[in-house]
Amino acid sequence: MADASTANPPCINVSNVVKTYRRGVDEVRALRGLTCQIPQGRLSFIVGPSGSGKSSLLYLLGGLDRPDSGDISVFGRPLTEFTHRERDEFRRREVGFIFQNFNLLGNLSAVDNVLVPFLPQGISADLRRQAVELLTQVGLAKRLDHRPNQLSGGEQQRVAIARALLKRPLLVLGDEPTGELDSTSGAEIYRHLRQLRDQHGSTIVVVTHDRSHIEPGDFVLTIRDGTLKTD
Amino acid sequence: MFPFAFRNLLSRPLRSALALCGLTVAIAGMVGLFSVAEGIQDTVQSTFGKMPGLVIIQPGAPIPLFSRLPADWDAELRSVEGVHVVHPEVWARAHLVEGKAAISPPRFLFGSDLERADQLLFSIYREKIVAGRYLTAEDRTTLHCVISKGIAEEHQCTVGDTLKVDGKLLEIVGIYDTKSLFLDVAIIIDIALAREMGKVGTDTVCNFYVEPQAAVRYADIADRINALLANRGPGAWQPTLDQALDLAGDNPALKSLAPLAKAALAAGGESKPPQTSPGEAPIEVRSPEDWSDQVQQFTADLDLFLAIMTTIGITIAFVGIVNTMLMSVSERIIEFGILKANGWSSGNVLTLIGCESALLGLGGGVLGAFVGWVATHAVNARFPTRIHLYASPKLLVASLLFSCVLGMLAGLYPALRAARMAPMEAIRRG
Ligand SMILES: Nc1ncnc2c1ncn2[C@@H]1O[C@H](COP(=O)(O)OP(=O)(O)OP(=O)(O)O)[C@@H](O)[C@H]1O
Ligand SMILES: [Mg+2]
């Protein structure tokens, strides 16, 4: 990486990114030439008022969407130059998503939900063992065969975390992962995220409204009106 | 992928069941319709496969019932090289059996030259005796008869009983069961009795059945017979008014197919052999293959009709599955978005929906083929003497495969729609 002298070299480089949504004649300029860097191996927070473009940025980082202009590189790889297929592949291999509303599949058990990313390739016994291990790490050892509707919100989000981590992604992206949880469950989610970051060395980027979970060592990025707000 | 697809179907039991029902009905209908044509073909195969000889018949006569030939050709035919036995036959329609009009199924008096019949190496009715005995030369000039199991059951009579046919009290000495719908219509009696009952003169027969010697080819004998009788043909068969009515009034399918089931016309007066008219087409020699060909032509027409009917049914089922899959896909857009956000490619999503609809197709195919198969057996059991449906293993397998293809095709458009969907859109909606 470019800056090897710091403890946490930037793993994500965003430069001059513009993202405009069109709905009919209306244009919404969600990101207006945003430039920022996010360091590797840390828990980073993207904060800002509602509608400022936080989610938009996160989806761009995860290759779920592409910007109108500007460049994004993740671990030195030029995401904005990827083809459709390459982006699919990048998302499949390198990125784990955690959503505000958990997004688990209702007809699958907790373990199977964790295994969802690997269903197309087939599930080996070893992979299943790893899934159980991850669920155990987030405190769900006794709930492996429960369906999402038999789990609390906090438990469902922990299943989603295990799912995001099973492929050992370089990058874990969370869009308000504690948005629908009370403060105790929310705190627990962050405890698990920090623990997993320490164990796997993942880079975790979380969008949130709630600054109460931010700890001194965390990296914070504040966005306002689609651009970086520098304090 | 298949277990996951299967689980997805199970988690929407009502929807899957409805789609399955639509397919099952369509496929069962298809099996049912085609079993009609196959049944006819099967009957024909089992009928002609059993008949090793040649039938000599008036040219153009659809069946021996309407054919008339001079009885004195017998000696000439016997002298043809390679001929083993010549068996003169007289066929007549049985109008009243036990006081009941024999219309559907029809009944025919089959007058056999019993002395010759004894010499036949293979006689289908003789082979298939299930009770009593077959007629022999001893039965000449008696009122003895042999009837089919179906006739015996219909009139609840057995060996030793009498059967009243057109005013004559026949004595049943044997019961046969060929299981061929076309053959099991005959009441076998002495040829002289058949002449008397059918008003066929002693100088006339309906047809000759010629059994070749072992290892002699049909074609060779047919050629020799044609050469022998060239320019002496009895003239082409022309339907009389009565015959035309008789043909039209009955089931034409059964009629035109019945090779042996025929009887002399009961029109007033004895029917004479047609006058020999030089220069006209010689007699017609029909081998088992010729009969089959006629039937093939008929069933090909029938197949076309059935295909049209089936297409209508299948189209309805197809639209039903497309609708089911489309609705299932649109209500699951978020699910596909989640899958994509979790690393599934568009191809993976396509495969998943393909698997689901293929499973529906397979399920519908298995159920439909089974229901169709059971239905054909039920119909056959209910109307054993009137109809013979046959769902061959080939038909069953074909409809099963067809159903799978149908399921996949129906799932294709919804799957493409789902796969094209950007994951973002799905997630934002959720
Ligand atoms: N698909 C879309 N079509 C049109 N406009 C959109 C679309 N998605 C987002 N927007 C608009 O883009 C802007 C930025 O949206 P974004 O979701 O990134 O904000 P956010 O910071 O995540 O807000 P929140 O904190 O409320 O989630 C908003 O004004 C939003 O209305
Ligand atoms: Mg948001």
Side-chain angles (χ1 to χ4, degrees):
Chain A
M1 300 293 143
D3 190 358
S5 59
T6 57
N8 295 104
C11 76
I12 301 173
N13 262 304
V14 177
S15 71
N16 228 356
V17 160
V18 175
K19 177 72 194 173
T20 308
Y21 295 105
R22 283 180 195 84
R23 184 134 302 175
V25 287
D26 295 342
E27 282 199 357
V28 182
R29 299 181 63 207
L31 297 176
R32 312 172 183 193
L34 182 96
T35 301
C36 67
Q37 270 124 35
I38 294 172
Q40 191 174 353
R42 275 166 78 176
L43 182 54
S44 302
F45 287 92
I46 302 176
V47 296
S50 185
S52 55
K54 305 184 295 294
S55 299
S56 305
L57 174 61
L58 197 76
Y59 294 143
L60 291 178
L61 298 183
L64 274 176
D65 209 351
R66 56 188 324 172
D68 301 332
S69 65
D71 292 310
I72 300 173
S73 72
V74 178
F75 302 107
R77 296 166 60 187
L79 207 56
T80 35
E81 287 166 28
F82 280 5
T83 62
H84 198 78
R85 188 176 290 267
E86 283 170 329
R87 249 183 323 135
D88 274 355
E89 189 63 15
F90 166 76
R91 200 169 61 232
R92 200 161 65 80
R93 289 177 183 274
E94 320 284 15
V95 188
F97 278 100
I98 306 166
F99 301 96
Q100 179 174 358
N101 51 2
F102 324 134
N103 278 342
L104 299 181
L105 298 183
N107 58 343
L108 296 183
S109 67
V111 191
D112 288 333
N113 260 294
V114 172
L115 290 167
V116 151
F118 293 91
L119 273 177
Q121 292 98 293
I123 308 296
S124 67
D126 185 52
L127 205 62
R128 187 167 283 273
R129 196 182 45 70
Q130 288 178 41
V132 171
E133 210 169 274
L134 271 168
L135 281 173
T136 310
Q137 279 180 35
V138 294
L140 293 176
K142 292 211 170 66
R143 331 231 44 181
L144 299 178
D145 294 318
H146 286 60
R147 297 283 169 98
N149 59 8
Q150 299 165 320
L151 299 172
S152 75
E155 287 166 338
Q156 287 185 53
Q157 196 58 300
R158 281 184 270 157
V159 173
I161 291 173
R163 177 178 65 186
L165 288 170
L166 183 63
K167 57 185 148 187
R168 319 249 155 201
L170 294 171
L171 190 59
V172 177
L173 303 175
D175 194 357
E176 315 220 23
T178 59
E180 295 202 355
L181 305 177
D182 63 34
S183 54
T184 333
S185 322
E188 204 175 343
I189 294 296
Y190 281 106
R191 195 169 56 74
H192 286 301
L193 282 176
R194 290 176 198 285
Q195 186 192 338
L196 292 165
R197 176 205 53 188
D198 295 340
Q199 280 169 6
H200 303 298
S202 316
T203 301
I204 304 179
V205 182
V206 173
V207 165
T208 186
H209 276 118
D210 184 359
R211 288 169 165 268
S212 69
H213 299 295
I214 301 173
E215 288 182 5
D218 296 338
F219 180 85
V220 180
L221 205 74
T222 310
I223 295 187
R224 176 160 294 156
D225 295 331
T227 50
L228 195 64
K229 182 181 169 247
T230 39
D231 299 297
Chain B
M1 201 66 114
F2 267 108
F4 184 50
F6 189 62
R7 204 153 23 173
N8 283 341
L9 291 177
L10 284 189
S11 61
R12 292 172 192 78
L14 187 65
R15 166 149 299 170
S16 307
L18 284 175
L20 212 56
C21 271
L23 251 178
T24 302
V25 170
I27 296 299
M30 173 177 155
V31 170
L33 284 173
F34 279 103
S35 71
V36 175
E38 286 209 325
I40 291 171
Q41 245 153 12
D42 183 52
T43 305
V44 168
Q45 294 300 317
S46 64
T47 305
F48 298 107
K50 289 167 183 169
M51 238 185 32
L54 298 163
V55 174
I56 314 250
I57 193 170
Q58 188 178 359
I63 50 173
L65 176 64
F66 302 131
S67 159
R68 293 290 178 274
L69 294 173
D72 57 17
W73 284 6
D74 176 43
E76 288 182 68
L77 287 169
R78 287 167 72 189
S79 68
V80 171
E81 189 196 337
V83 167
H84 177 238
V85 183
V86 173
H87 179 244
E89 297 178 357
V90 168
W91 290 85
R93 197 168 185 141
H95 299 275
L96 281 174
V97 178
E98 291 288 294
K100 268 183 15 192
I103 295 166
S104 178
R107 300 295 178 217
F108 298 100
L109 291 163
F110 171 33
S112 162
D113 186 319
L114 297 176
E115 200 183 344
R116 297 289 176 74
D118 277 352
Q119 297 166 23
L120 286 171
L121 289 178
F122 182 89
S123 154
I124 188 156
Y125 292 120
R126 199 174 62 203
E127 302 296 319
K128 299 290 177 180
I129 288 289
V130 291
R133 60 177 181 81
Y134 194 65
L135 300 173
T136 65
E138 313 277 279
D139 295 301
R140 276 179 300 175
T141 71
T142 67
L143 290 176
H144 291 171
C145 73
V146 171
I147 62 172
S148 71
K149 196 165 156 233
I151 299 175
E153 277 167 3
E154 186 185 342
H155 300 287
Q156 297 187 343
C157 52
T158 182
V159 175
D161 292 347
T162 55
L163 188 72
K164 193 172 181 190
V165 179
D166 293 341
K168 286 258 188 239
L169 269 182
L170 304 178
E171 189 190 325
I172 304 166
V173 298
I175 293 173
Y176 67 85
D177 187 19
T178 66
K179 299 201 165 60
S180 163
L181 217 53
F182 297 145
L183 293 175
D184 283 1
V185 291
I187 298 165
I188 306 158
I189 52 177
D190 178 34
I191 193 165
L193 184 56
R195 279 207 174 92
E196 181 193 339
M197 293 177 74
K199 301 192 180 83
V200 176
T202 50
D203 54 352
T204 307
V205 297
C206 289
N207 63 286
F208 295 99
Y209 175 73
V210 175
E211 187 175 87
Q213 285 167 356
V216 178
R217 296 196 312 138
Y218 288 125
D220 294 344
I221 292 204
D223 288 348
R224 280 179 216 139
I225 292 173
N226 273 321
L228 174 75
L229 300 174
N231 300 327
R232 287 205 280 139
W237 174 76
Q238 297 289 336
T240 64
L241 182 61
D242 288 310
Q243 285 174 333
L245 286 175
D246 207 16
L247 251 188
D250 210 321
N251 178 349
L254 196 61
K255 272 279 194 80
S256 68
L257 301 176
L260 299 175
K262 35 261 138 178
L265 177 71
E270 290 199 336
S271 51
K272 295 275 176 196
Q275 289 311 302
T276 299
S277 45
E280 284 205 43
I283 42 85
E284 209 171 314
V285 181
R286 292 194 197 156
S287 67
E289 290 85 32
D290 297 333
W291 291 108
S292 288
D293 287 349
Q294 274 198 338
V295 174
Q296 297 290 336
Q297 177 55 43
F298 172 75
T299 48
D301 295 346
L302 190 63
D303 272 346
L304 182 66
F305 169 73
L306 295 174
I308 293 169
M309 299 292 289
T310 305
T311 307
I312 296 170
I314 293 296
T315 308
I316 294 168
F318 185 76
V319 172
I321 309 173
V322 173
N323 186 39
T324 304
M325 291 310 293
L326 211 56
M327 276 169 61
S328 155
V329 163
S330 23
E331 75 179 19
R332 288 164 67 198
I333 280 297
I334 295 164
E335 183 182 325
F336 300 132
I338 296 170
L339 292 176
K340 278 195 161 182
N342 278 289
W344 283 46
S345 66
S346 299
N348 292 149
V349 172
L350 208 72
T351 314
L352 175 68
I353 301 173
C355 284
E356 286 179 20
S357 41
L359 277 175
L360 276 181
L362 183 72
V366 169
L367 278 176
F370 179 71
V371 169
W373 181 77
V374 167
T376 57
H377 279 82
V379 169
N380 285 343
R382 178 74 189 77
F383 308 103
T385 56
R386 297 200 183 180
I387 203 162
H388 173 68
L389 301 178
Y390 178 58
S392 67
K394 215 170 85 187
L395 174 63
L396 292 177
V397 169
S399 41
L400 208 151
L401 290 180
F402 183 67
S403 180
C404 289
V405 171
L406 205 67
M408 290 211 281
L409 279 182
L412 196 65
Y413 171 64
L416 281 174
R417 262 177 61 129
R420 253 193 238 127
M421 194 107 189
M424 271 306 302
E425 223 173 303
I427 290 159
R428 290 262 186 198
R429 275 197 214 180

